[in-house]
Amino acid sequence: MPFAQMLLGDPAIPTVERQQALDRIFADPGIPQDSTTSPFWLKEPHTDFVTHSSKPLPTEADVVIIGSGITGASIARTLLQDRTGPSSLNKAVHSVFMLEARDICSGATGRNGGHILETADEYAELADVFGDEVAKKTLRFRLAHLKEMLKAVEDLGLTEKTQARKVQFLSAYFGEEPWKAALERLRRFQAGMPEESAEWIAYDRQSMPEEFKLSRAHGVITGPAGALWPYKFVTGVLSHLLSQYPEQFRVQGHTAVTAIHDNTSSDYKYRVETSRGVISARHVIHCTNAHVTHLVPGLRGRIFPLRGQMSAQTPGNKFPCQAAEHSWMFSYDRGFDYLTQLPSGQMMFGGGFARSEGGGIADLGIATDDELSLYCDIHLSGALPAVFGRQNWGQVKGDPVQAMWTGNMAFSTDGFPWVGQLPSSVTHRAGSSKHDVGSEWVSAAFGGEGMVQAWLCGKALATMLLLKEGLASTEADISWLPDQMIVTDERIAWAILPRTVESPHKASL
């Protein structure tokens, strides 16, 4: 069952709290506010984006991308690079303009765990609901992100700067029943996808290598994963595009999009109103994730925000640096945490959601990132010595918690991202016909797993736009994108939460 329905249908949570969460889900999330918590990742701002440009906004752009995270970076890169040739510069994507309400990459991407991890736990559930072929296609899509992103980093010469690395994840289970369930999910994944699961290994408590330092776990499942500095990755991509396409690409921070209006009397179909002026655009692409329904109100109840919490911590003096070898997932009777370690030693530790107020219900529908959850703070601040064992952790010199911050994820009612062209039924604007020149598009709702969904969702969406304009290269293809992620009228009709917690669900999800 998708995430929101589990919380909203939990009878252990008071009805009034569930209804309040549902009301937040259907509310306008607004635009990102200047008041925020401070993520560790942004402590070294990219020199190209330290200050927002004083140049005036352009009056026209072929494509306006709203949002400067990993999704927007992927879309911009694909639009500018994956074209038929120089002649296309005089066509649809002569100008690509990216707008961000705050500092560049200060939203979800600049606040996440930097963890490129697919545990394959979803395979069994996807197979039960949609069949084996959908499960396989979805897992292949998600697993492909590790190779695709590490290749992008290498191609751009960003490996050292972003500290990008392939590691072996250690998914530890601290409970007998969760461990048994994990083994069954692994068995099904290995049976259904033997080639893709070749690197997955299960260790029970007796066979677990001592180097894992996880003797308190009932068992550990290992597999391939990756880690990088997400802010440095995105700003590195954007900086490269600015250098390579100085006449075609612009990025503007501290320029919030406040409204979009039809401009049907012009070839530039949309008037994009911002805090600094108006831009006429042919295409508008929404990459604002938790804030997407501010400008696309018809997606409320289908896409909704959720607040998560991350920290940067100092390891104990007995804990060996495993940044180049491992990353971690910790699963409990209820909830999970995730962890990577930087080469410099810092532990980038997030999660604690199930330990937050109301078992997580208080964070459902929250689109601001200016406050910490007290209970998440308590959990994250104290979990690592307990998980690894105090004998393996030792003492911490100085402040054990270097930074603690929140960020906003976006979830969808049916559990899949939304990727594709938006009809007027959800934008509440005209001019989004599939046959029109110019459209609005969306790539959002990655369910807290953007590092294994957002990059290729962005690539797929940009390819859709190029195909629509007849500018895609001859080998352009998006058959690898799961159909369940594509925006369709049918999906819009059924993939919506009920308006009250007492109402029956409108579809079997």
Side-chain angles (χ1 to χ4, degrees):
M1 178 183 291
F3 172 77
Q5 288 87 317
M6 292 177 63
L7 277 178
L8 294 171
D10 187 348
I13 301 173
T15 300
V16 64
E17 294 182 18
R18 288 183 280 150
Q19 184 61 54
Q20 288 171 349
L22 198 53
D23 291 342
R24 292 193 297 268
I25 284 172
F26 277 89
D28 183 349
I31 60 176
Q33 301 300 301
D34 290 337
S35 176
T36 72
T37 52
S38 299
F40 176 91
W41 301 120
L42 272 65
K43 72 184 182 109
E44 299 176 15
H46 194 291
T47 54
D48 285 350
F49 308 108
V50 170
T51 60
H52 60 276
S53 173
S54 60
K55 294 181 180 180
L57 297 181
T59 57
E60 297 175 345
D62 289 308
V63 179
V64 168
I65 299 172
I66 309 173
S68 63
I70 190 170
T71 311
S74 176
I75 291 170
R77 186 171 188 253
T78 305
L79 287 177
L80 292 164
Q81 293 186 348
D82 292 2
R83 298 176 298 187
T84 55
S87 62
S88 66
L89 292 177
N90 297 318
K91 298 181 182 178
V93 288
H94 177 71
S95 55
V96 178
F97 196 40
M98 178 178 287
L99 302 174
E100 174 59 56
R102 302 188 299 204
D103 290 332
I104 300 303
C105 196
S106 62
T109 300
R111 295 168 181 274
N112 72 22
H115 202 181
I116 311 171
L117 172 67
E118 173 52 60
T119 65
D121 279 349
E122 297 86 356
Y123 176 84
E125 183 177 353
L126 287 167
D128 288 343
V129 177
F130 299 101
D132 289 342
E133 291 310 308
V134 170
K136 291 176 183 178
K137 187 171 184 177
T138 302
L139 265 293
R140 289 190 183 109
F141 169 82
R142 292 162 66 96
L143 290 167
H145 280 74
L146 178 59
K147 180 179 179 180
E148 288 277 340
M149 293 178 68
L150 291 183
K151 183 179 186 302
V153 167
E154 183 178 359
D155 290 346
L156 294 170
L158 294 171
T159 301
E160 182 177 355
K161 186 173 185 178
T162 63
Q163 302 176 13
R165 56 214 183 268
K166 182 179 179 181
V167 296
Q168 178 191 52
F169 76 77
L170 307 180
S171 187
Y173 295 85
F174 295 90
E176 185 174 355
E177 292 307 313
W179 172 235
K180 289 179 179 178
L183 286 176
E184 175 58 18
R185 291 193 298 269
L186 176 63
R187 183 196 66 76
R188 292 188 61 181
F189 172 53
Q190 291 175 326
M193 304 181 72
E195 182 177 346
E196 290 83 357
S197 63
E199 294 184 63
W200 268 253
I201 303 172
Y203 297 92
D204 60 22
R205 183 173 284 171
Q206 288 68 41
S207 62
M208 193 185 308
E210 192 277 334
E211 68 179 67
F212 288 179
K213 309 298 182 184
L214 290 167
S215 59
R216 303 186 74 175
H218 275 71
V220 172
I221 292 174
T222 70
L228 51 71
W229 195 300
Y231 172 82
K232 291 182 179 180
F233 171 64
V234 168
T235 54
V237 171
L238 297 180
S239 181
H240 173 79
L241 294 176
L242 288 170
S243 174
Q244 190 172 8
Y245 302 98
E247 302 300 321
Q248 288 78 46
F249 186 52
R250 293 267 305 275
V251 178
Q252 190 70 57
H254 295 274
T255 308
V257 176
T258 55
I260 301 171
H261 299 290
D262 294 313
N263 192 22
T264 54
S265 62
S266 168
D267 288 340
Y268 292 85
K269 297 179 57 177
Y270 303 103
R271 291 180 64 252
V272 180
E273 295 186 0
T274 81
S275 56
R276 296 183 56 243
V278 177
I279 306 170
S280 295
R282 295 180 67 246
H283 295 278
V284 177
I285 305 178
H286 299 269
C287 304
T288 51
N289 215 32
H291 296 272
V292 71
T293 63
H294 173 62
L295 295 170
V296 189
L299 289 180
R300 292 175 193 169
R302 298 169 175 89
I303 297 176
F304 50 89
L306 182 141
R307 182 175 60 186
Q309 196 148 316
M310 267 289 298
S311 67
Q313 301 192 29
T314 303
N317 59 2
K318 292 184 179 180
F319 190 81
C321 185
Q322 302 182 44
E325 290 82 32
H326 296 136
S327 65
W328 299 266
M329 283 277 292
F330 307 128
S331 295
Y332 315 109
D333 289 333
R334 182 169 183 172
F336 64 91
D337 301 325
Y338 45 91
L339 171 71
T340 63
Q341 187 173 24
L342 300 185
S344 53
Q346 290 94 340
M347 311 296 282
M348 309 306 292
F349 186 42
F353 179 80
R355 303 296 195 270
S356 67
E357 292 84 347
I361 198 74
D363 289 314
L364 189 57
I366 299 294
T368 55
D369 51 22
D370 60 337
E371 293 182 338
L372 298 176
S373 161
L374 172 63
Y375 296 150
C376 281
D377 194 335
I378 292 170
H379 171 78
L380 293 176
S381 297
L384 290 177
V387 164
F388 287 112
R390 288 169 179 80
Q391 75 280 6
N392 297 319
W393 191 251
Q395 300 297 314
V396 175
K397 297 179 180 178
D399 190 348
V401 179
Q402 299 178 31
M404 183 82 69
W405 65 93
T406 51
N408 303 119
M409 302 168 278
F411 282 68
S412 67
T413 301
D414 61 5
F416 289 98
W418 286 74
V419 183
Q421 185 176 332
L422 290 168
S424 58
S425 62
V426 294
T427 64
H428 299 173
R429 290 175 282 275
S432 293
S433 165
K434 292 183 184 296
H435 304 292
D436 261 339
V437 177
S439 302
E440 287 188 69
W441 307 78
V442 69
S443 182
F446 307 115
E449 298 175 316
M451 296 296 282
V452 291
Q453 303 211 79
W455 184 253
L456 288 180
C457 280
K459 180 178 180 178
L461 185 138
T463 304
M464 291 178 187
L465 190 154
L466 292 172
L467 287 167
K468 177 183 173 68
E469 295 287 352
L471 296 175
S473 58
T474 54
E475 65 271 15
D477 173 46
I478 58 167
S479 61
W480 40 266
L481 181 72
D483 293 342
Q484 288 72 21
M485 299 181 182
I486 298 173
V487 177
T488 65
D489 291 332
E490 179 184 17
R491 185 181 179 194
I492 290 167
W494 69 263
I496 183 170
L497 290 168
R499 195 60 188 82
T500 61
V501 295
E502 293 83 9
S503 299
H505 200 278
K506 293 187 176 182
S508 177
L509 298 180

